[in-house]
Amino acid sequence: MSTLLPYWRLSGFYFAYFALLGGVAPFLALYFDHLGFSAARIGELIAIPMLMRCIAPNLWGWLGDVSGRRLLIVRLGALCTAIAFTGIFYRQDYAWLALIMAAHSFFWHAVLPQFEAITLGHLGAQSARYSMIRLWGSVGFIATVVGLGLLLEVFGLDIYPAVMLGIMLAIFLCSMIVPQAPTPAARPRGEPVERFMSLLRRPGVLAFFLCVALMQLSHGPYYTFLTLHLEALGYGRGTIGLLWALGVVAEIVLFLFMTRVLQRFSLKQLLVASLLLAALRWVLLGALAHSLMILLLIQLLHAATFGSFHVAAIHFIQHNFTERLQGQGQALYASLSGVGGALGALYSGYSWATLGPQWTFGLAGLAAFVAAVVLLRVLPPRS
């Protein structure tokens, strides 16, 4: 890494940010189940932060592009996330929890799109090294999945909110030591300003964002019900935590080689392959998760369904949006991810008790397959 690149400060932020996700994805549904909510109510509560992801990133992304104060937005977003979340200690009824989920996630979703733009600003021409910084987010995810899983086995689920608040405060502290990214060079006088909407009309761009939503929709049952699904199949919480971690270890290994992968394959090839492997993953998860060997393969596929898809998507946005519109491009990516994730959580919440896990995951596989076909037909060959 360049000596001018604040590698460890950027990496530390990703570690803390995704440590929080490592507490949310495997354990939030488990906590709501501990409070006595039904599968439908759990799906609704988990969908609320994803719905906020449809709104908040675009608002904050526009503000970041107009003001240029991306780092200030990250810091305020992280602090307000923690403050809003403290309401969970007051009450745990459905209406109040729905309000807490909406309030804290409105600020939480302000953070990552702006920080992605900050990271790319620091990297400059070294953008292919993004994955070497982002992999520390995966390390943070693993640390929380394994550590929190052990804590919950010893102390029970009542400590869950306090641990989450501690991680939120750590995100804020990490944001305070990140330096401002270099300011983009001023445009030469008379150069036309390329509008955001005109960039969306480039070949394949709108199709890409549609497929981002479909990919996240396909992850809805996974992030909402995987832990409960595996518990019902007889796996212990310690084993489940290790299985979550295995998926992210596979993702980290991919990140280590991602620079070479990007040099060998086009973004279109990576995106389509990731979607096809996601379709396979969800079908296997619904039908054959009782086999530990198949389940290990399913979790290793996380390297494709999240790792390669996310890195390829970040580079696709960087290539298709001007430097001054990176914040809005990243925000739209986050928003469409939120739309898909919310719909995935909602449909899985309603279908889990009626159609069962196999059909719920089968529908997820169908969504990923449709997205793969769309990108295969629409994206230019060397996207």
Side-chain angles (χ1 to χ4, degrees):
M1 292 293 170
S2 166
T3 56
L4 298 177
L5 181 67
Y7 175 78
W8 289 111
R9 284 177 281 178
L10 294 171
S11 300
F13 182 90
Y14 280 106
F15 181 97
Y17 184 91
F18 285 95
L20 183 61
L21 188 59
V24 170
F27 301 116
L28 184 59
L30 200 61
Y31 178 67
F32 290 147
D33 182 68
H34 170 71
L35 294 179
F37 293 110
S38 67
R41 291 291 176 264
I42 291 171
E44 290 164 2
L45 287 170
I46 291 177
I48 290 170
M50 297 179 185
L51 286 171
M52 294 308 298
R53 195 176 175 186
C54 310
I55 302 167
N58 285 313
L59 172 62
W60 296 112
W62 171 81
L63 186 60
D65 285 340
V66 168
S67 68
R69 306 292 298 274
R70 300 191 198 283
L71 190 55
L72 177 61
I73 290 172
V74 167
R75 290 168 175 170
L76 287 176
L79 179 60
C80 292
T81 298
I83 292 172
F85 187 76
T86 58
I88 201 170
F89 297 102
Y90 177 58
R91 280 166 33 199
Q92 287 85 39
D93 58 274
Y94 176 79
W96 183 253
L97 287 175
L99 179 62
I100 296 302
M101 291 297 102
H104 94 275
S105 60
F106 176 78
F107 296 106
W108 187 27
H109 293 313
V111 171
L112 187 60
Q114 298 306 307
F115 198 79
E116 298 278 33
I118 290 168
T119 299
L120 291 170
H122 279 294
L123 285 167
Q126 305 176 72
S127 62
R129 295 183 175 181
Y130 164 81
S131 59
M132 297 300 293
I133 295 174
R134 172 59 183 79
L135 70 83
W136 286 100
S138 303
V139 175
F141 186 100
I142 291 173
T144 306
V145 166
V146 175
L148 184 55
L150 294 173
L151 281 175
L152 294 180
E153 283 195 351
V154 175
F155 298 105
L157 281 156
D158 290 328
I159 70 165
Y160 177 77
V163 176
M164 293 296 96
L165 179 61
I167 298 173
M168 290 174 189
L169 292 172
I171 295 172
F172 171 67
L173 293 176
C174 287
S175 75
M176 296 303 294
I177 63 173
V178 173
Q180 185 68 50
T183 304
R187 294 179 181 276
R189 186 171 296 178
E191 181 184 350
V193 178
E194 198 163 14
R195 299 295 182 185
F196 184 69
M197 294 304 297
S198 69
L199 298 181
L200 290 179
R201 289 193 291 269
R202 287 182 172 180
V205 172
L206 285 175
F208 161 78
F209 282 113
L210 169 64
C211 292
V212 164
L214 288 172
M215 179 61 132
Q216 292 307 311
L217 184 149
S218 80
H219 279 73
Y222 176 76
Y223 285 125
T224 308
F225 288 112
L226 177 65
T227 299
L228 295 174
H229 179 46
L230 296 183
E231 275 198 335
L233 292 174
Y235 294 96
R237 287 182 185 173
T239 302
I240 293 170
L242 291 173
L243 286 165
W244 276 96
L246 175 63
V248 185
V249 169
E251 173 188 312
I252 291 173
V253 173
L254 178 71
F255 283 154
L256 292 173
F257 295 96
M258 202 64 198
T259 301
R260 276 177 269 180
V261 172
L262 287 167
Q263 291 170 349
R264 183 168 181 178
F265 299 100
S266 70
L267 295 180
K268 177 178 180 176
Q269 290 172 325
L270 290 173
L271 291 168
V272 170
S274 299
L275 287 161
L276 290 174
L277 289 172
L280 173 64
R281 186 186 186 194
W282 307 140
V283 170
L284 291 176
L285 186 55
L288 299 173
H290 58 273
S291 166
L292 181 59
M293 293 304 297
I294 297 295
L295 191 53
L296 293 175
L297 171 63
I298 289 166
Q299 289 305 89
L300 289 175
L301 286 174
H302 192 71
T305 64
F306 177 80
S308 65
F309 186 86
H310 175 69
V311 173
I314 292 293
H315 281 79
F316 183 91
I317 294 166
Q318 186 190 28
H319 292 168
N320 284 278
F321 291 86
T322 61
E323 189 172 18
R324 292 178 180 273
L325 293 174
Q326 282 293 308
Q328 290 181 67
Q330 298 293 348
L332 186 59
Y333 171 58
S335 293
L336 269 295
S337 297
V339 171
L343 292 175
L346 284 172
Y347 98 76
S348 61
Y350 296 129
S351 69
W352 196 257
T354 54
L355 299 178
Q358 186 167 350
W359 275 101
T360 300
F361 281 111
L363 291 171
L366 178 61
F369 180 77
V370 168
V373 172
V374 169
L375 288 188
L376 188 63
R377 292 175 60 88
V378 174
L379 280 189
R382 298 303 301 175
S383 292

